[in-house]
Amino acid sequence: MSVCLRDAAQLLRPPEDGLPYLRHDRAAELSLEPGSLCVRDGRIAALEDDAQAELAIDASGGALLPGLVDCHTHLPFAGWRAEEYEQKVTGVPYEEIALRGGGIASSARAFADASDGELLEQAGSLALEMLAHGTTTFECKSGYGLSAEEELRALRLAEELGERVVQRTASTALLAHAVPEGFTADGWMDEVERLVPEVSAQALDVYVESVAFSVAHLERMGELAARHGLALRAHVEQFSTSRSVRPALEHGARSLDHLACLHADDLDPLARSECAAVLLPGAELLGAEQVAPARALADAGAICALASDLNPGTSPVLSLPLVAGIAVRRYGWSVREALLALTLNPAWVVARSAELGSIEPGKRADLVLLDCPAEHVPYRFGRNPVAMVLMEGRVVYVRPGQEWRIGRG
Ligand SMILES: [Zn+2]
């Protein structure tokens, strides 16, 4: 099957082909020039028109982007915690919310009570909404299991979800999210060590915070990841400064996520490394957290990524265009910086950037066509600009009213 996407007002292109990531101090080198591209056998074949194509898509007036990559979600999870959000914004302290039965423990209870079918149903319907917002690859995490058995179940369901949804998925075992009842943090890490050989995932993850796990536990997770050939990722520096960055870098972390409370002395070492800084502006906004030093990270040349952090507690947000809008406003980022952080760099985080994340010949033709120029994404805040989504050159989503774009070649 050959497909041609014709006459886009803008085609997002990297400064050169074959880059595994692009450091953020080079984001201005991304180009957004008019163009066409053709797809053969699911891959981008050339950056030109193809008059012989079997299917032609009129991309006029819009920006053509690589499919968006959401490298940090907590799918699958059960239910929502809307009551808790209202309590939080009206000033009820977290300790009291937890006493009333809220917090991670409530999501863990809901997860244990939900059937496999219910969990897959909820996650699958969220994946469909994500598709309509341009997400063609997303990460799943365990972490609401809080027991060996339920964590393994979460990872098995993440895998099943990957088989059901249109998108590509990657699985992360967030085996140290909160300390399960009846365990000390050290005792639970002993359990994690027994669990790791059984998990099917590409990465291990740990939540470093005073109420959860320590930097020493992060180092232990790093050793486990190295021993089992898995990537190391970590939730760090979200509500307090724990100086986790250097130890994480020494253990070869692939990404450090959150970073709202990053210590100034840790910024340059992170920015110089190949470890991505995954920023979660939706969680920062809705949680009234500190704002991550994203402008400084970008200027220092960090590999920055943006993600939704989709979860029922701190970030019930799935729209990456919305996340881009928050990032541009609150981080003082350019549109190119936001787009880079939603495409090539998050593809690097999930170890797929050789195949995905940029428009270049040879890569898989996972593409998003907007109905407007890219500059409108953050500016028309809260609006979904996605007109059409393709996976390997196959049209998998068309927004109602945009069907006119599809024609024979
Ligand atoms: Zn998270």
Side-chain angles (χ1 to χ4, degrees):
M1 176 81 172
S2 59
V3 184
C4 175
L5 292 104
R6 200 164 276 163
D7 298 331
Q10 297 173 324
L11 198 69
L12 183 71
R13 286 269 296 139
E16 52 197 277
D17 290 346
L19 295 172
Y21 52 76
L22 185 66
R23 293 188 178 278
H24 254 69
D25 54 348
R26 293 188 61 192
E29 295 175 40
L30 289 164
S31 71
L32 280 167
E33 294 301 315
S36 301
L37 70 77
C38 55
V39 178
R40 264 175 235 118
D41 302 324
R43 290 182 187 267
I44 298 167
L47 302 175
E48 59 192 22
D49 203 332
D50 175 8
Q52 312 303 317
E54 293 156 78
L55 184 74
I57 294 168
D58 184 341
S60 59
L64 189 56
L65 311 176
L68 306 182
V69 178
D70 194 344
C71 67
H72 185 142
T73 88
H74 287 258
L75 287 168
F77 55 81
W80 297 99
R81 280 154 50 195
E83 337 66 59
E84 199 178 302
Y85 182 63
E86 188 178 25
Q87 291 168 18
K88 193 161 61 181
V89 300
T90 52
V92 181
Y94 187 78
E95 296 73 30
E96 201 181 320
I97 292 173
L99 281 175
R100 292 184 193 175
I104 290 177
S106 79
S107 285
R109 275 194 307 278
F111 190 88
D113 290 344
S115 68
D116 288 2
E118 285 165 340
L119 288 163
L120 287 168
E121 176 71 32
Q122 180 172 354
S125 87
L126 289 169
L128 267 182
E129 283 187 59
M130 291 160 80
L131 187 71
H133 288 83
T135 302
T136 54
T137 297
F138 63 86
E139 182 241 24
C140 299
K141 284 189 207 296
S142 66
Y144 292 118
L146 298 190
S147 72
E149 195 180 286
E150 289 289 318
E151 281 298 303
L152 291 176
R153 178 177 171 238
L155 290 165
R156 176 174 57 74
L157 289 173
E159 220 166 67
E160 276 189 54
L161 182 67
E163 287 158 18
R164 287 185 176 210
V165 298
V166 171
Q167 289 103 325
R168 303 166 199 286
T169 62
S171 292
T172 298
L174 173 52
L175 299 177
H177 193 192
V179 182
E181 232 178 85
F183 283 91
T184 61
D186 286 330
W188 177 249
M189 287 303 295
D190 293 339
E191 189 75 10
V192 167
E193 188 158 346
R194 279 190 289 276
L195 214 53
V196 171
E198 291 182 54
V199 307
S200 109
Q202 288 82 56
L204 296 181
D205 199 338
V206 50
Y207 183 46
V208 179
E209 199 57 62
S210 56
V211 296
F213 295 88
S214 68
V215 173
H217 299 127
L218 163 71
E219 293 180 299
R220 193 166 166 193
M221 197 67 93
E223 284 157 20
L224 284 172
R227 198 184 308 156
H228 295 276
L230 300 169
L232 173 66
R233 301 187 57 182
H235 289 64
V236 298
E237 319 292 324
Q238 182 182 8
F239 297 111
S240 58
T241 303
S242 60
R243 303 305 304 270
S244 60
V245 172
R246 284 164 202 263
L249 295 180
E250 278 162 24
H251 284 83
R254 185 70 169 205
S255 80
L256 290 175
D257 304 35
H258 283 293
L259 301 169
C261 298
L262 181 66
H263 192 281
D265 293 347
D266 292 334
L267 195 142
D268 276 323
L270 175 57
R272 278 196 303 271
S273 76
E274 287 199 312
C275 173
V278 177
L279 305 166
L280 308 167
E284 289 170 8
L285 178 69
L286 297 180
E289 293 172 22
Q290 253 177 258
V291 175
R295 180 68 268 150
L297 281 163
D299 290 339
I303 303 165
C304 299
L306 291 169
S308 68
D309 195 16
L310 175 59
N311 77 78
T314 55
S315 187
V317 170
L318 58 77
S319 163
L320 293 179
L322 183 74
V323 166
I326 304 172
V328 164
R329 178 67 271 183
R330 301 240 291 181
Y331 296 163
W333 271 13
S334 69
V335 173
R336 282 172 175 76
E337 284 173 324
L339 294 177
L340 170 60
L342 290 173
T343 54
L344 184 63
N345 287 351
W348 163 252
V349 173
V350 296
R352 305 271 178 90
S353 61
E355 290 269 288
L356 308 172
S358 57
I359 293 179
E360 51 188 280
K363 282 202 175 181
R364 297 196 183 275
D366 295 1
L367 300 163
V368 175
L369 176 63
L370 307 183
D371 67 357
C372 56
E375 291 80 3
H376 286 223
V377 174
Y379 167 63
R380 297 173 72 186
F381 185 71
R383 173 180 181 271
N384 183 5
V386 173
M388 197 179 293
V389 181
L390 295 91
M391 293 284 299
E392 299 201 356
R394 204 163 46 85
V395 176
V396 292
Y397 170 77
V398 184
R399 195 174 78 209
Q402 294 288 320
E403 300 86 353
W404 61 270
R405 294 183 180 275
I406 303 176
R408 295 286 135 211

